[in-house]
Coordinates of all heavy atoms in Angstrom, one line a residue:
L86 N 4.1 16.1 4.9 CA 4.7 15.6 6.1 C 3.7 14.9 6.9 O 2.6 15.4 7.3 CB 5.2 16.7 6.8 CG 5.9 16.4 8.2 CD1 7.2 15.6 7.9 CD2 6.4 17.6 8.9
Q87 N 3.8 13.5 7.0 CA 2.9 12.8 7.7 C 3.4 12.5 9.2 O 4.3 11.8 9.2 CB 2.5 11.5 7.0 CG 2.0 11.6 5.7 CD 1.7 10.3 5.0 OE1 2.2 9.2 5.3 NE2 0.6 10.3 4.0
K88 N 2.6 13.0 10.1 CA 2.9 12.8 11.5 C 1.8 13.1 12.3 O 1.1 14.1 12.0 CB 4.2 13.5 11.9 CG 4.4 13.3 13.4 CD 5.9 13.6 13.6 CE 6.3 13.2 15.0 NZ 6.0 14.1 16.1
K89 N 1.5 12.3 13.3 CA 0.4 12.6 14.3 C 1.2 12.7 15.7 O 2.2 12.2 15.9 CB -0.5 11.5 14.3 CG -1.4 11.6 13.0 CD -2.7 10.7 13.2 CE -3.4 10.8 11.8 NZ -4.7 10.2 11.9
S90 N 0.4 13.5 16.5 CA 1.0 13.8 17.8 C 0.8 12.4 18.7 O 0.0 11.5 18.2 CB 0.4 15.0 18.5 OG -1.1 14.6 18.6
D91 N 1.2 12.6 19.9 CA 1.0 11.4 20.7 C -0.5 11.1 21.1 O -0.7 9.9 21.3 CB 1.8 11.7 22.1 CG 3.3 11.6 22.0 OD1 3.8 11.1 21.0 OD2 4.0 12.3 22.8
N92 N -1.2 12.1 21.0 CA -2.6 11.7 21.3 C -3.5 11.5 20.1 O -4.7 11.6 19.9 CB -3.3 12.9 22.1 CG -3.3 14.1 21.5 OD1 -2.8 14.3 20.3 ND2 -3.7 15.1 22.1
N93 N -2.7 11.1 18.9 CA -3.2 10.8 17.5 C -3.9 12.0 16.8 O -4.6 11.9 15.8 CB -4.3 9.7 17.6 CG -4.2 8.8 16.4 OD1 -3.2 8.7 15.6 ND2 -5.3 8.3 16.0
R94 N -3.6 13.3 17.1 CA -4.0 14.4 16.5 C -2.9 14.7 15.3 O -1.8 14.5 15.6 CB -4.3 15.5 17.4 CG -5.4 15.3 18.4 CD -5.5 16.4 19.4 NE -5.7 17.7 18.7 CZ -5.8 18.8 19.3 NH1 -5.6 18.8 20.6 NH2 -6.1 20.0 18.7
K95 N -3.4 15.4 14.3 CA -2.4 15.9 13.3 C -1.6 17.0 13.9 O -2.0 17.7 14.7 CB -3.2 16.3 12.1 CG -3.9 15.3 11.2 CD -4.5 15.8 9.9 CE -5.0 14.6 9.2 NZ -5.7 15.2 8.0
T96 N -0.5 17.0 13.3 CA 0.6 17.9 13.8 C 0.8 19.0 12.7 O 0.9 18.6 11.4 CB 1.9 17.4 14.0 OG1 1.8 16.4 15.1 CG2 3.0 18.3 14.5
S97 N 0.7 20.2 13.0 CA 1.0 21.3 12.1 C 2.5 21.5 11.6 O 3.3 21.2 12.4 CB 0.5 22.6 12.5 OG -0.8 22.7 12.8
S98 N 2.8 21.8 10.3 CA 4.1 22.0 10.0 C 4.1 23.2 9.1 O 3.2 23.8 8.5 CB 4.7 20.8 9.3 OG 3.9 20.6 8.2
W99 N 5.4 23.8 9.0 CA 5.5 25.0 8.2 C 6.8 24.8 7.3 O 7.9 24.3 7.7 CB 5.7 26.1 9.1 CG 5.9 27.4 8.5 CD1 7.0 28.1 8.1 CD2 4.9 28.3 8.1 NE1 6.8 29.3 7.6 CE2 5.5 29.5 7.5 CE3 3.5 28.2 8.1 CZ2 4.8 30.5 6.9 CZ3 2.7 29.3 7.5 CH2 3.4 30.4 7.0
G100 N 6.7 25.3 6.0 CA 7.9 25.3 5.2 C 8.0 23.9 4.6 O 7.1 23.1 4.4
G101 N 9.3 23.5 4.6 CA 9.6 22.2 4.1 C 10.7 22.4 2.8 O 10.2 22.7 1.8
S102 N 11.9 22.1 3.2 CA 12.8 22.2 2.3 C 13.4 20.8 1.9 O 13.8 20.1 2.9 CB 14.1 23.1 2.9 OG 15.1 23.4 2.0
I103 N 13.5 20.5 0.7 CA 13.8 19.0 0.4 C 15.2 19.0 -0.5 O 15.5 20.0 -1.2 CB 12.7 18.2 -0.2 CG1 12.4 19.0 -1.6 CG2 11.6 18.1 0.5 CD1 11.3 18.2 -2.5
I104 N 15.8 17.9 -0.3 CA 17.1 17.6 -1.1 C 17.1 16.2 -1.4 O 16.9 15.3 -0.5 CB 18.3 18.2 -0.4 CG1 19.5 18.2 -1.2 CG2 18.5 17.6 0.9 CD1 20.7 19.1 -0.8
Q105 N 17.7 15.7 -2.5 CA 17.7 14.3 -2.8 C 19.2 13.8 -2.4 O 20.2 14.4 -2.7 CB 17.5 13.9 -4.2 CG 17.4 12.5 -4.5 CD 17.1 12.2 -6.0 OE1 17.4 12.9 -6.9 NE2 16.4 11.0 -6.1
D106 N 19.1 12.6 -1.8 CA 20.4 11.8 -1.6 C 20.6 11.0 -2.9 O 19.9 10.0 -3.1 CB 20.4 10.9 -0.5 CG 21.6 10.1 -0.1 OD1 22.5 10.1 -1.1 OD2 21.8 9.7 0.9
E107 N 21.6 11.4 -3.8 CA 21.8 10.8 -5.0 C 22.2 9.3 -4.8 O 22.0 8.4 -5.7 CB 22.8 11.4 -5.9 CG 22.3 12.8 -6.3 CD 22.6 14.0 -5.3 OE1 23.4 13.6 -4.3 OE2 22.2 14.9 -5.6
T108 N 22.8 8.9 -3.6 CA 23.3 7.6 -3.5 C 22.3 6.6 -3.2 O 22.2 5.5 -3.7 CB 24.3 7.6 -2.2 OG1 25.3 8.6 -2.4 CG2 24.8 6.2 -1.9
T109 N 21.2 7.1 -2.4 CA 20.1 6.2 -2.1 C 18.9 6.4 -3.0 O 17.9 5.7 -3.0 CB 19.6 6.3 -0.6 OG1 19.2 7.7 -0.5 CG2 20.8 6.0 0.3
G110 N 18.8 7.7 -3.5 CA 17.5 8.0 -4.2 C 16.5 8.6 -3.4 O 15.5 9.0 -3.9
L111 N 16.7 8.5 -2.0 CA 15.6 9.0 -1.2 C 15.7 10.5 -1.1 O 16.6 11.3 -1.3 CB 15.9 8.5 0.2 CG 15.7 7.0 0.4 CD1 16.1 6.6 1.8 CD2 14.2 6.6 0.1
W112 N 14.6 11.2 -0.8 CA 14.4 12.5 -0.6 C 14.3 12.8 0.9 O 13.6 12.2 1.6 CB 13.1 13.1 -1.3 CG 13.3 13.0 -2.9 CD1 13.1 11.9 -3.6 CD2 13.8 14.0 -3.7 NE1 13.4 12.1 -4.9 CE2 13.8 13.5 -5.0 CE3 14.1 15.3 -3.5 CZ2 14.2 14.3 -6.0 CZ3 14.5 16.1 -4.6 CH2 14.5 15.5 -5.8
H113 N 15.0 13.9 1.4 CA 15.0 14.3 2.7 C 14.4 15.7 2.8 O 14.8 16.7 2.1 CB 16.6 14.3 3.3 CG 17.0 13.0 3.1 ND1 17.1 12.2 4.3 CD2 17.8 12.4 2.1 CE1 17.7 11.1 3.9 NE2 18.1 11.1 2.6
M114 N 13.5 15.9 3.7 CA 12.9 17.2 4.0 C 13.2 17.6 5.5 O 13.2 16.8 6.3 CB 11.4 17.1 3.9 CG 10.7 18.3 4.1 SD 8.8 18.5 3.7 CE 8.2 17.2 4.7
Y115 N 13.4 18.9 5.5 CA 13.6 19.6 6.8 C 12.4 20.7 6.9 O 12.3 21.4 6.0 CB 15.0 20.2 6.9 CG 16.1 19.1 6.8 CD1 16.6 18.7 5.6 CD2 16.5 18.6 8.0 CE1 17.6 17.7 5.7 CE2 17.5 17.6 7.9 CZ 18.0 17.1 6.6 OH 18.9 16.1 6.7
A116 N 11.7 20.5 8.1 CA 10.5 21.4 8.1 C 10.4 21.8 9.5 O 10.9 21.1 10.5 CB 9.3 20.7 7.6
A117 N 9.6 22.9 9.7 CA 9.4 23.3 11.1 C 8.0 22.6 11.4 O 7.2 22.6 10.8 CB 9.2 24.8 11.1
E118 N 8.0 21.9 12.7 CA 7.0 21.2 13.0 C 6.4 21.9 14.4 O 7.2 22.3 15.3 CB 7.4 19.8 13.4 CG 6.3 19.1 14.1 CD 6.7 17.5 14.4 OE1 7.5 17.4 15.4 OE2 6.1 16.7 13.9
I119 N 5.1 22.1 14.6 CA 4.5 22.8 15.6 C 4.2 21.8 16.6 O 3.2 21.0 16.3 CB 3.3 23.7 15.2 CG1 3.8 24.6 14.0 CG2 3.0 24.5 16.4 CD1 5.0 25.3 14.2
I120 N 4.7 21.8 17.8 CA 4.4 20.7 18.8 C 3.4 21.2 19.8 O 2.9 22.2 19.8 CB 5.7 20.2 19.5 CG1 6.5 21.3 20.3 CG2 6.6 19.7 18.3 CD1 7.5 20.9 21.1
N121 N 3.1 20.2 20.7 CA 2.3 20.4 21.8 C 0.8 20.8 21.5 O 0.0 21.4 22.2 CB 2.8 21.6 22.7 CG 4.1 21.4 23.4 OD1 4.4 20.2 23.6 ND2 4.9 22.3 23.4
D122 N 0.4 20.2 20.2 CA -1.0 20.3 19.9 C -1.6 21.7 19.8 O -2.7 22.0 19.9 CB -1.9 19.4 20.5 CG -1.6 18.0 20.6 OD1 -1.2 17.5 19.5 OD2 -1.7 17.3 21.6
C123 N -0.8 22.7 19.6 CA -1.1 24.0 19.7 C -1.5 24.7 18.4 O -2.2 25.7 18.4 CB -0.1 24.9 20.4 SG 1.3 25.2 19.4
G124 N -1.2 24.0 17.2 CA -1.6 24.7 16.0 C -0.6 25.9 15.6 O 0.3 26.1 16.4
I125 N -0.9 26.4 14.5 CA 0.0 27.4 13.9 C 0.0 28.7 14.6 O 0.8 29.5 14.6 CB -0.2 27.5 12.4 CG1 0.9 28.2 11.7 CG2 -1.5 28.3 12.2 CD1 2.0 27.3 11.4
D126 N -1.1 29.0 15.4 CA -1.3 30.2 16.1 C -0.3 30.5 17.2 O 0.0 31.6 17.6 CB -2.7 30.3 16.8 CG -3.8 30.4 15.7 OD1 -3.5 30.8 14.7 OD2 -4.9 30.1 16.1
Y127 N 0.4 29.4 17.7 CA 1.3 29.6 18.9 C 2.7 28.9 18.4 O 3.3 28.2 19.3 CB 0.8 29.0 20.1 CG -0.4 29.7 20.6 CD1 -1.7 29.3 20.3 CD2 -0.3 31.0 21.3 CE1 -2.9 30.0 20.8 CE2 -1.5 31.7 21.8 CZ -2.8 31.1 21.5 OH -3.8 31.8 21.8
W128 N 3.2 29.2 17.3 CA 4.3 28.6 16.8 C 5.6 29.1 17.5 O 6.5 28.3 17.5 CB 4.4 28.8 15.4 CG 4.5 30.2 14.8 CD1 3.6 31.1 14.7 CD2 5.8 30.9 14.6 NE1 4.1 32.3 14.2 CE2 5.5 32.2 14.1 CE3 7.2 30.5 14.6 CZ2 6.4 33.1 13.9 CZ3 8.0 31.5 14.3 CH2 7.7 32.7 13.9
I129 N 5.7 30.3 17.9 CA 7.0 30.9 18.4 C 7.6 29.9 19.4 O 8.7 29.5 19.2 CB 6.8 32.2 18.8 CG1 6.5 33.2 17.5 CG2 8.1 32.7 19.5 CD1 6.3 34.6 17.8

Side-chain angles (χ1 to χ4, degrees):
L86 179 64
Q87 293 186 337
K88 179 154 190 269
K89 292 194 177 186
S90 64
D91 292 336
N92 62 6
N93 207 32
R94 294 176 58 189
K95 289 186 178 180
T96 302
S97 297
S98 62
W99 183 264
S102 182
I103 61 173
I104 192 166
Q105 186 179 33
D106 181 342
E107 294 86 8
T108 305
T109 65
L111 295 174
W112 290 84
H113 297 266
M114 178 170 63
Y115 295 86
E118 176 184 64
I119 313 306
I120 60 171
N121 297 323
D122 298 322
C123 68
I125 201 76
D126 294 339
Y127 296 98
W128 64 272
I129 292 176

